[in-house]
Amino acid sequence: MFESWKNWMKQTTNALIERLQREKHSFADIAQLIREHPDTSVSEKTWLGLTYRFYSLHLDNAAFTMETKKTKGNDEHILVVSVSFPNSAPIVYRSYDEKSDLHKIVATPPLAKKTAPIS
């Protein structure tokens, strides 16, 4: 019984430390990070004359994905931004969801030390 209690305390402590280390960023900042990070993989598909880009980035235990639609020139319209990390529900922005806001501030794992600077 002592061993299970000890394991529970260790898990609780680690979860608390992880939560305290989280940073605050907007979905727009996260999208910029995904675009600019050198480890981001990008694929592009064109369907019915519309070009979509799919971005994927993995930093430690965090997974970042983004989908965009190419507009005139080389601009992009952000469709979806997703941040997933262990033991938590993913944080998602969807452009078609009325309740989603690209400038909403969300908590993420620590990014500043591992990535290019974000605003």
Side-chain angles (χ1 to χ4, degrees), residues 34 39-42 54-58 64-66:
I34 294 170
D39 295 335
T40 299
S41 63
V42 182
F54 303 90
Y55 296 81
S56 179
L57 174 64
H58 296 275
F64 300 85
T65 58
M66 179 170 69

Side-chain angles (χ1 to χ4, degrees), residues 80-116:
V80 176
V81 175
S82 175
V83 181
S84 302
F85 40 98
N87 303 324
S88 297
I91 303 167
V92 182
Y93 161 81
R94 293 180 183 90
S95 64
Y96 55 83
D97 185 352
E98 292 177 2
K99 297 176 186 171
S100 285
D101 179 6
L102 199 54
H103 301 289
K104 178 181 178 182
I105 303 297
V106 295
T108 67
L111 302 176
K113 297 176 197 165
K114 304 172 200 138
T115 61

Side-chain angles (χ1 to χ4, degrees), residues 25-43:
H25 301 285
S26 71
F27 282 114
D29 291 339
I30 295 168
Q32 180 182 353
L33 165 75
I34 294 170
R35 274 193 195 109
E36 296 176 358
H37 198 281
D39 295 335
T40 299
S41 63
V42 182
S43 64

